[in-house]
Amino acid sequence: MVNPNNSQTQSLLPHHHDRHRSRPRPVGQIGSRYSTAQRFCGFAAFGTFFLIAFSLVFAPRTSTSRDLRRLHHKIPQSELERALFASINPKSIRAYSKNYTAAPHLGGTNFELAKWTADTFEEFGIKAEIPTYDCYINYPLSAGIELYDKDGQVSYVPSLEEDILDEDPTTGLVDQVPTFHGYSYSGDAKGQFVYANYGRKEDFDLLSSKGLDFSNKIVIVKYGKIFRGLKVKFAQELGAAAVLIYSDPADDGGITLKNGYKAYPDGPARNPSSVQRGSVQFLSIAPGDPTTPGWPSKKGTSRVSPYDRIPSIPSLPISYREVIPILKQLNGHGIKPDQLGSDWKGDIDEFDYSVGPSKVELKLSNLQNYTITPLFNVIGRIEGIRAHETVVIGNHRDAWIAGGAGDPNSGSAVLLELAKAFGEMIKSGWKPLRTIVLASWDGEEYGLLGSTEWAEDHAKFLGDNVVAYINCDVSVSGHHLFVSSSPLLNQLFREAAKKVSHPEGGTVYEKWVEQNGAHIKNLGSGSDYTVFQDHLGIPSLDFGYSFGPGDPVYHYHSIYDSFHWMDTYDDPEWAYHSAIAKVWGLITLGLSEGEIIPFETEEYGRLLKLYVEDLEKKFPVLEAIKQALDINYHEKFGFKHSNQFQMSDIQRTSKPYNNLIQSIGKFIKSAAEFDEYTARLHKEYIKDYPWYKYPKKFRLLVAIKLANTKLFILDRAFLYDKGLDGGRDWFKHVVFAPGRYTGYAGALLPGLLEALEDKDWAAVEKWLKIITDCVDKADSIIS
Ligand SMILES: *[C@@H]1O[C@H](CO)[C@@H](O)[C@H](O)[C@H]1NC(C)=O
Ligand SMILES: *[C@@H]1O[C@H](CO)[C@@H](O)[C@H](O)[C@H]1NC(C)=O
């Protein structure tokens, strides 16, 4: 600011100053000074212009992909894949497996193993934490079975223990986990007993229809076909007093003593003393802590009674060797197996699989310590360039036994191997595009506790940010690849499988085609992907090598699922483990590094169509309903005379059913176009362009961002907030859920399926509308 007092003075001075300043200089002097500067400026300007023009004309064309890579100092994906393959080492997987299987690590126990997992992540340069949840679970105190004779005297007391084997050191550990059922009811039962095949709904229905009364009976069933907790549920619903479940060699794929195989440890057949532990939670109602359905089990949280979700009758598992003296008592009593069905008879000669009831009584006692105790998840995190966008990969750490070399620590060892590989990449300067979270869950065995509570705790963040969840529970328990997946991830899996060599030659993909035509199953339940896919609508995948034809019998949840068994019978070269590590790593990199989220959408549409066609096969009435719009429908199908359903049922469901079919058809078309569009975006993305096309690149990036948003929310379109009927409202996905009568195996379009099974036409109409709305929503996202 000018000082007003000085202004006059200043105004007086200029003349003098000006005069002084403008004192003339010799012309030549001035001229030469200006011309030097001018010349310099001229040259400089020309030079700069020339340089710019030169470099622009000769500037290399680059792709948007390369530009971004430079910007973020990203390492090309192919280089990362090479680095991944180079660092996967069967020897280190073996060492990790050995450590995981050295001591018992039942859910909520062995904090040291969680700590070691976290420390090992940290050692590899991956930040790790151990979030805990206080869960309601049981630990076994004591169990016993007594068989009585006609006079009420104890005639037989099974040991309920598995044999200690000299060859297999884990079987001789002093602190074994007893044979028991997770979430089994603590109590005793005494009464007559019956044999009820696999304990499926249809088995109980069949026996009930033949007049068998289950009330106060102890029901003996075989393992297999469905989730064990549902066997107990069905028995409980019929008034049974207790359930005993044994493993029949008939389900061992022919690798049996009868067929001349020796039993483990001398051969690949089942050791006759082996017992399958496991949870009897009602998995198809809701996983997670049964006292906190839908919210996280934090300290001091409110809890509800668990008995909608866990049994209120006791149960125990038993070996086939020890069930023989009991089931022998049924010989010649009650209905014969051949009157019931071909699978009622098993593979044991000592008893004839008669249903009973027995003349003699059995007593089952089961003392459990129910407690609320912390479970320890381990969460490792590799922060990406786009820190929020997240890919989660996970495996559970807890096992029913000290070993668990198959379930789950074949997956744990592979997860650690992947952490090691990622750690090496981090050291060489890698930062993934999206954040990668590595999860080592606790308490999966009891009922997917660790993953469910964590995901319920972070539901908002996961819903908003997680691109996909890739689960590997048992990475190796045999030599047959199984894959279950959200259809969006199918193609990514196939491509990864094509890049990895199979231990017996060829690629993982080629062998998979040979084994089952590279079939990908839908997701049911039974592992930690459940909360991600079924509750949050996050595309998930689950895979591994499991027991199949010709494989050594897998001693599931038995002490013989040990390091020694894995190292001698199942994967002595640790080559199957290595193959899984590579496939899992490739999928993770595909998801973390792909600028365009690598989902394919058309397969989703085609599978939806297939699922509806499967329902039509299962329920011929749907064909009639579909045709009902036809003016001649009643003549054509003769429904006037059908007593299965009313004409009004056809009328009310016909329109919604045809709407669903049309919506799916529309979605398939939009999805095919959208896949073509994203494929085009990808081509553009890796195409080289001259510099002056930068607006095009900018537009491309915007288009990719938009496409990603659509891909990201697509699977969420299939969530129905109110969830499934029948107390299954925790399950929100309208396409995938565990079967209400199977647990492990998935039910497709579960709401509709169950309504049809129940012949509940109002519910059929309701679910047709709900599913159609979801398909339309998905369609509007991508069209
Ligand atoms: C194995 O795991 C335990 C924790 O159970 C840990 O203390 C130990 O250091 C680990 N051993 C090796 C060789 O890493
Ligand atoms: C039951 O479990 C709790 C927690 O693990 C433990 O503190 C308690 O001693 C156990 N009770 C018995 C009878 O073992």
Side-chain angles (χ1 to χ4, degrees):
M1 222 199 211
V2 178
N3 184 342
N5 296 331
N6 285 345
S7 63
Q8 243 184 358
T9 339
Q10 275 177 350
S11 67
L12 287 176
L13 289 172
H15 292 288
H16 184 70
H17 272 274
D18 283 353
R19 229 184 296 137
H20 182 71
R21 262 193 194 159
S22 57
R23 198 191 308 149
R25 286 170 189 238
V27 174
Q29 241 185 356
I30 295 167
S32 80
R33 206 179 118 176
Y34 280 153
S35 70
T36 308
Q38 268 171 344
R39 241 178 291 149
F40 176 76
C41 287
F43 276 130
F46 180 72
T48 313
F49 173 77
F50 182 76
L51 267 174
I52 291 174
F54 182 85
S55 53
L56 286 180
V57 169
F58 291 97
R61 300 151 64 90
T62 75
S63 67
T64 320
S65 154
R66 206 172 303 125
D67 292 344
L68 280 191
R69 220 156 57 216
R70 278 201 197 113
L71 180 69
H72 297 312
H73 307 289
K74 269 183 70 189
I75 301 172
Q77 200 171 324
S78 52
E79 230 169 84
L80 292 172
E81 291 179 357
R82 269 197 297 281
L84 169 77
F85 279 31
S87 55
I88 301 296
N89 178 353
K91 284 206 190 81
S92 77
I93 297 178
R94 183 178 185 276
Y96 296 146
S97 168
K98 190 159 194 174
N99 205 23
Y100 271 119
T101 57
H105 43 296
L106 194 57
T109 72
N110 202 337
F111 175 75
E112 297 69 39
L113 204 55
K115 180 83 173 47
W116 175 70
T117 304
D119 290 348
T120 312
F121 281 173
E122 292 271 355
E123 202 179 289
F124 297 144
I126 298 172
K127 279 201 190 63
E129 51 176 56
I130 308 183
T132 65
Y133 294 93
D134 287 356
C135 291
Y136 178 74
I137 58 174
N138 62 318
Y139 294 118
L141 294 173
S142 71
I145 286 177
E146 288 174 345
L147 178 68
Y148 298 89
D149 61 17
K150 283 196 290 292
D151 306 323
Q153 300 298 308
V154 174
S155 65
Y156 169 61
V157 179
S159 72
L160 302 180
E161 281 176 5
E162 301 176 277
D163 294 347
I164 293 170
L165 309 174
D166 293 340
E167 295 85 341
D168 187 339
T170 13
T171 66
L173 292 176
V174 280
D175 52 348
Q176 292 292 349
V177 181
T179 57
F180 80 114
H181 280 152
Y183 287 123
S184 66
Y185 188 77
S186 190
D188 296 356
K190 190 177 171 196
Q192 293 171 289
F193 53 95
V194 294
Y195 162 72
N197 203 18
Y198 290 105
R200 291 168 295 194
K201 183 88 169 56
E202 68 240 49
D203 297 326
F204 284 111
D205 285 350
L206 184 58
L207 291 179
S208 298
S209 76
K210 298 204 178 270
L212 198 81
D213 176 13
F214 289 95
S215 55
N216 301 318
K217 303 281 190 307
I218 294 176
V219 180
I220 304 176
V221 297
K222 296 182 282 196
Y223 269 114
K225 309 289 185 200
I226 62 166
F227 183 69
R228 69 185 82 67
L230 299 182
K231 299 171 193 253
V232 180
K233 181 174 189 277
F234 302 143
Q236 176 182 319
E237 283 165 359
L238 292 169
V243 178
L244 193 58
I245 316 181
Y246 81 97
S247 312
D248 198 295
D251 293 303
D252 288 340
I255 310 293
T256 58
L257 301 181
K258 263 178 143 177
N259 286 345
Y261 293 97
K262 288 202 163 107
Y264 180 74
D266 304 315
R270 173 179 299 280
N271 183 296
S273 77
S274 74
V275 178
Q276 182 190 130
R277 294 157 188 77
S279 173
V280 288
Q281 190 189 40
F282 301 161
L283 188 61
S284 59
I285 300 294
D289 184 333
T291 65
T292 65
W295 65 93
S297 293
K298 291 186 165 168
K299 229 175 221 52
T301 190
S302 61
R303 292 175 190 271
V304 295
S305 161
Y307 291 107
D308 290 345
R309 295 166 205 87
I310 64 174
S312 38
I313 58 171
S315 65
L316 279 175
I318 190 168
S319 67
Y320 80 79
R321 187 174 71 193
E322 295 207 314
V323 89
I324 290 174
I326 302 171
L327 281 179
K328 244 166 78 176
Q329 303 299 321
L330 296 182
N331 286 354
H333 295 286
I335 311 166
K336 301 266 163 309
D338 39 330
Q339 289 166 258
L340 294 163
S342 58
D343 61 3
W344 282 71
K345 205 163 158 46
D347 214 14
I348 299 170
D349 292 334
E350 284 87 343
F351 52 86
D352 66 8
Y353 295 87
S354 290
V355 167
S358 61
K359 291 274 179 283
V360 297
E361 289 193 319
L362 191 68
K363 184 176 174 202
L364 183 154
S365 51
N366 182 43
L367 194 60
Q368 297 292 326
N369 180 11
Y370 269 95
T371 172
I372 292 173
T373 191
L375 300 196
F376 318 109
N377 290 332
V378 179
I379 303 290
R381 190 167 178 275
I382 307 172
E383 183 159 307
I385 293 160
R386 303 203 193 120
H388 281 304
E389 292 180 26
T390 304
V391 177
V392 184
I393 66 175
N395 152 271
H396 72 94
R397 194 182 58 253
D398 66 303
W400 285 118
I401 53 242
D407 184 6
N409 303 118
S410 58
S412 318
V414 167
L415 184 69
L416 221 47
E417 185 68 7
L418 272 188
K420 189 191 81 182
F422 291 156
E424 283 166 15
M425 296 179 201
I426 293 168
K427 284 195 191 86
S428 70
W430 173 56
K431 185 167 190 182
L433 181 63
R434 301 191 175 86
T435 294
I436 299 173
V437 164
L438 298 89
S440 166
W441 310 116
D442 197 2
E444 187 269 358
E445 292 293 0
Y446 277 88
L448 325 179
L449 303 184
S451 57
T452 305
E453 299 311 314
W454 184 80
E456 285 174 347
D457 195 11
H458 302 287
K460 173 93 177 76
F461 177 83
L462 302 178
D464 291 347
N465 298 290
V466 173
V467 173
Y469 172 66
I470 311 300
N471 191 62
C472 181
D473 181 329
V474 183
S475 80
V476 182
S477 65
H479 306 140
H480 291 74
L481 189 66
F482 80 90
V483 188
S484 299
S485 177
S486 160
L488 294 177
L489 289 161
N490 286 2
Q491 192 53 24
L492 181 66
F493 187 89
R494 291 185 196 110
E495 267 151 33
K498 284 175 190 169
K499 287 186 187 165
V500 178
S501 328
H502 187 274
E504 291 162 25
T507 64
V508 165
Y509 183 78
E510 285 161 357
K511 192 77 186 174
W512 181 29
V513 170
E514 241 172 73
Q515 284 176 347
N516 70 359
H519 178 64
I520 299 180
K521 286 199 298 192
N522 58 289
L523 288 164
S525 186
S527 196
D528 293 303
Y529 54 80
T530 308
V531 68
F532 293 92
Q533 181 73 57
D534 298 349
H535 190 64
L536 298 172
I538 296 167
S540 301
L541 188 147
D542 183 42
F543 75 113
Y545 276 108
S546 60
F547 172 68
D551 289 338
V553 170
Y554 174 51
H555 293 80
Y556 178 56
H557 292 177
S558 143
I559 54 172
Y560 309 124
D561 177 6
S562 62
F563 182 81
H564 177 77
W565 176 80
M566 187 61 82
D567 206 31
T568 49
Y569 283 99
D570 206 41
D571 197 12
E573 309 294 329
W574 299 80
Y576 285 88
H577 283 75
S578 303
I580 291 291
K582 288 175 189 170
V583 173
W584 201 2
L586 286 179
I587 294 171
T588 309
L589 289 176
L591 288 162
S592 75
E593 304 305 294
E595 183 63 42
I596 303 170
I597 299 174
F599 292 168
E600 290 208 352
T601 63
E602 194 202 352
E603 197 162 351
Y604 213 139
R606 278 192 286 114
L607 287 172
L608 280 172
K609 183 159 179 269
L610 194 77
Y611 300 159
V612 171
E613 286 164 2
D614 283 349
L615 284 183
E616 279 174 13
K617 277 185 209 132
K618 217 167 158 189
F619 302 95
V621 62
L622 279 176
E623 185 57 33
I625 288 172
K626 194 161 73 177
Q627 302 291 336
L629 288 184
D630 184 334
I631 202 80
N632 297 317
Y633 65 95
H634 39 280
E635 273 120 60
K636 257 168 73 188
F637 292 93
F639 285 122
K640 256 185 195 152
H641 315 293
S642 166
N643 52 7
Q644 269 200 1
F645 50 90
Q646 302 286 319
M647 199 69 89
S648 59
D649 294 330
I650 294 185
Q651 278 154 353
R652 77 190 297 184
T653 47
S654 169
K655 199 161 186 308
Y657 187 56
N658 282 288
N659 287 347
L660 174 63
I661 292 171
Q662 267 170 24
S663 290
I664 291 174
K666 189 152 168 280
F667 177 64
I668 294 175
K669 232 175 119 240
S670 312
E673 280 164 18
F674 191 71
D675 288 345
E676 267 170 37
Y677 171 68
T678 51
R680 258 199 326 274
L681 287 182
H682 187 258
K683 261 200 209 126
E684 297 264 298
Y685 178 63
I686 55 173
K687 193 167 163 187
D688 291 334
Y689 282 110
W691 66 275
Y692 53 85
K693 287 271 177 83
Y694 69 87
K696 194 177 171 94
K697 289 185 178 178
F698 183 72
R699 279 199 303 275
L700 176 65
L701 284 177
V702 173
I704 289 177
K705 179 126 187 97
L706 204 64
N708 275 344
T709 313
K710 294 175 175 191
L711 288 165
F712 179 85
I713 58 173
L714 190 63
D715 216 353
R716 272 97 164 162
F718 293 99
L719 293 179
Y720 174 60
D721 198 43
K722 294 199 184 105
L724 297 182
D725 297 333
R728 305 216 292 149
D729 58 320
W730 186 90
F731 292 99
K732 311 276 187 212
H733 204 283
V734 305
V735 186
F736 304 112
R740 61 177 163 172
Y741 301 143
T742 58
Y744 288 131
L748 298 163
L749 307 171
L752 181 58
L753 169 76
E754 289 163 17
L756 284 163
E757 280 172 347
D758 297 346
K759 298 192 173 69
D760 178 345
W761 295 98
V764 170
E765 187 186 3
K766 170 183 136 177
W767 280 101
L768 284 170
K769 285 182 178 157
I770 292 168
I771 298 167
T772 307
D773 283 350
C774 290
V775 177
D776 287 345
K777 198 155 103 199
D779 181 66
S780 70
I781 289 169
I782 54 169
S783 58

